[in-house]
Amino acid sequence: MQRMRGALLSFITIVTMIAATLAPTPGSQFGVSQAQAAQTQKASSALADLKVSPAASMNGYSRSQFGPAWEDIDGNGCDTRNDILKRDLKNVTYLDAGKCKVGTGMLNDPYTGKTIDFVSGATTSSDVQIDHVVALGDAWTTGAQGLGEQEREDLANDPLNLLAVDGSANQSKGDRDASQWLPSYAKSDCSYVARQITVKQRYGLWITNSEKQSMAQVLASCPNEPTATAGSLSISTSAPTPSLTYRTHVQTYGWQGWVKDGQISGTTGKSKRLEAINIKVSDRVPATSGEIQYRTHVQTYGWQGWVSTGAMSGTSGKAKRLEAISIRLTGNLASAYDVYYHVHAQHFGWLGWARDGADAGTTGYSYRLEAIQIELIPKGSAAPGSTANSFRQAPKKAAPAKTTKPTQASKPAKPRQPSKPAASLPIKKSGAFCKATEKGTKAQTSTGVKLTCTTISTDNRLRWRH
């Protein structure tokens, strides 16, 4: 009996071991075991392993190609939408005893950084939507056409590929990939891109060349970002390093392509003037963090007013040279970074680096700017080069001394010439007799002395008297 009991125990142990080996583990319905899911790698390394290929056609795409919406694919009695709401919302309440139907909750939205109070209802549920991190339309054009029906349904319901997010942000994203859309909340960029890479890696999807470049640019600011797990989106504790892009309008060449972070824009050795400039801070930096402002000194016009991120400073189509420039930062950007810039000026060549609103270039010489470099440097770090002689101002010319004419000996005054009589009065001789009909009328002598035809107390005869 003891022997039979021992044999039975051994048999049960063997069956248990076999069952444990054959039974699917959590997560295996999505093509990866729990043990495999725990083995993360750097997202940048996973990105390098993805196939790069042009996007395929959208022909044949429909939502139904990925199975019914929000299946209960894990068999827990709740649909996928509510599973994700329960995972990503805080302070959740339910509308049912089985705790499947989420009634209210609070979302820290990873796409916008906003806090959203979720309330289930016909007009309110859409405030929080469940986003496919790799959009199904994007998946269709990068390899999902070749997946089986079950694999596509798994992709559409995989918690790794799903996030509760702000409804309007989800609508703005649509089916766009990382080269066309990234969250406005920059602190989510790294983990968002890492999650897209992980999903594409899991389902054997490819990426386009532009998508790879955009992903690599994001991950450059977080080189140790790991591939994702199926939990809520993790948010980086610090925003990606901001980047500057800029371009110049060059004489006869027009607008040049955008360059970034210390690259040269313009020409040297070709005697071509810069006529205008655009400067932008990477759109991965929230507007609330500050902006870049700049102004230019333009031929005949002098210093122009300050403009902000992306606006043109200078002129185009007027053949006016830029002669100097000032650049500054505002807000949190100014607290964390210095902006350095230097210019290549006619006759002087490369001048020293100016910083944070100082003038760079020349004024008063009528010399053109020919090229420029601009860099953001963490506050307090060393300048990228010499800061000597970043600005040259022509010395003002001394005004010629005023010469006084030699004093001439005063000439004797000319005798006063009698003024010419006014033509309106008749000429009469003083003392001459006048007629009774002229009594009281006026006349004048040949020298302009006024006369009247009148009498006096001692002489009652009418005479021209003054």
Side-chain angles (χ1 to χ4, degrees):
M1 188 64 157
Q2 185 70 26
R3 188 174 296 172
M4 290 179 61
R5 190 176 296 169
L8 179 61
L9 182 61
S10 298
F11 174 75
I12 293 172
T13 301
I14 293 171
V15 170
T16 302
M17 292 176 62
I18 294 172
T21 303
L22 298 178
T25 58
S28 64
Q29 67 268 36
F30 303 122
V32 62
S33 70
Q34 190 174 41
Q36 289 171 324
Q39 296 175 354
T40 59
Q41 65 179 128
K42 288 184 179 180
S44 56
S45 298
L47 174 63
D49 292 338
L50 292 179
K51 177 184 176 182
V52 178
S53 185
S57 169
M58 283 288 284
N59 290 343
Y61 169 74
S62 69
R63 175 61 180 83
S64 62
Q65 292 281 5
F66 292 82
W70 310 135
E71 286 285 278
D72 176 17
I73 199 164
D74 60 0
N76 68 349
C78 305
D79 64 57
T80 302
R81 172 180 164 80
N82 279 282
D83 281 342
I84 301 303
L85 288 175
K86 285 191 288 184
R87 184 195 69 183
D88 292 352
L89 270 57
K90 297 180 179 179
N91 305 325
V92 174
T93 66
Y94 299 93
L95 299 176
D96 63 330
K99 294 187 176 182
C100 271
K101 182 67 174 175
V102 174
T104 63
M106 188 268 289
L107 174 69
N108 290 324
D109 177 42
Y111 285 0
T112 65
K114 298 188 301 185
T115 297
I116 302 172
D117 291 322
F118 171 77
V119 178
S120 179
T123 61
T124 56
S125 289
S126 61
D127 291 344
V128 173
Q129 299 179 11
I130 307 302
D131 178 46
H132 288 97
V133 178
V134 173
L136 300 185
D138 174 42
W140 183 256
T141 62
T142 57
Q145 298 180 38
L147 299 178
E149 292 181 7
Q150 186 59 55
E151 287 179 295
R152 289 200 294 267
E153 187 173 344
D154 289 346
L155 170 61
N157 291 275
D158 190 340
L160 178 67
N161 194 35
L162 298 172
L163 290 175
V165 299
D166 173 70
S168 59
N170 185 43
Q171 293 300 312
S172 72
K173 173 187 171 182
D175 286 322
R176 292 185 285 179
D177 63 27
S179 68
Q180 302 160 327
W181 189 92
L182 288 170
S184 62
Y185 188 52
K187 291 185 178 182
S188 295
D189 281 358
C190 290
S191 48
Y192 173 80
V193 165
R195 185 170 289 233
Q196 285 197 326
I197 292 169
T198 311
V199 170
K200 292 213 168 190
Q201 182 186 56
R202 174 176 287 191
Y203 289 92
L205 306 179
W206 68 75
I207 53 175
T208 65
N209 186 57
S210 59
E211 189 178 4
K212 182 174 184 177
Q213 290 178 358
S214 296
M215 288 176 163
Q217 183 177 350
V218 170
L219 293 176
S221 65
C222 47
N224 294 319
E225 183 74 22
T227 50
T229 63
S232 300
L233 187 69
S234 60
I235 296 176
S236 303
T237 57
S238 60
T241 302
S243 178
L244 287 181
T245 55
Y246 45 97
R247 64 175 184 166
T248 54
H249 190 279
V250 179
Q251 175 187 357
T252 70
Y253 296 157
W255 285 108
Q256 304 300 285
W258 292 93
V259 299
K260 62 182 293 186
D261 299 331
Q263 294 178 317
I264 295 175
S265 182
T267 64
T268 59
K270 296 185 178 181
S271 300
K272 300 292 185 183
R273 63 179 174 265
L274 299 187
E275 299 178 342
I277 189 169
N278 297 126
I279 310 175
K280 297 190 297 186
V281 178
S282 165
D283 60 6
R284 302 277 40 86
V285 178
T288 54
S289 294
E291 61 182 3
I292 192 162
Q293 298 178 338
Y294 42 100
R295 63 173 186 160
T296 52
H297 190 280
V298 180
Q299 174 188 356
T300 71
Y301 296 156
W303 282 109
Q304 306 299 286
W306 292 91
V307 299
S308 300
T309 305
M312 183 186 82
S313 184
T315 65
S316 63
K318 295 185 178 181
K320 300 291 185 183
R321 64 180 173 267
L322 297 187
E323 298 177 342
I325 187 169
S326 302
I327 308 173
R328 66 189 183 190
L329 303 173
T330 67
N332 293 337
L333 275 176
S335 300
Y337 293 92
D338 292 314
V339 58
Y340 280 91
Y341 43 100
H342 74 152
V343 296
H344 191 279
Q346 179 184 2
H347 297 307
F348 288 125
W350 285 107
L351 299 177
W353 289 86
R355 183 187 75 178
D356 297 337
D359 299 335
T362 69
T363 58
Y365 287 103
S366 299
Y367 291 167
R368 63 182 173 264
L369 297 188
E370 298 178 342
I372 188 170
Q373 292 176 277
I374 313 172
E375 285 193 48
L376 282 184
I377 303 293
K379 204 75 173 177
S381 299
S386 171
T387 57
N389 298 318
S390 60
F391 179 68
R392 301 288 188 94
Q393 185 172 23
K396 294 182 179 179
K397 295 181 180 179
K402 293 184 178 180
T403 56
T404 56
K405 294 182 179 180
T407 304
Q408 296 181 350
S410 59
K411 296 181 180 179
K414 293 182 179 180
R416 183 177 179 180
Q417 299 294 323
S419 58
K420 293 183 179 180
S424 59
L425 296 177
I427 304 300
K428 299 293 182 180
K429 185 177 180 180
S430 178
F433 291 106
C434 53
K435 300 176 182 179
T437 56
E438 295 175 320
K439 184 178 180 178
T441 60
K442 305 292 185 182
Q444 61 183 341
T445 66
S446 59
T447 59
V449 176
K450 299 296 189 292
L451 301 174
T452 303
C453 179
T454 187
T455 61
I456 59 176
S457 60
T458 58
D459 185 2
N460 59 5
R461 291 172 295 180
L462 292 170
R463 293 176 182 272
W464 294 106
R465 305 175 191 273
H466 58 79

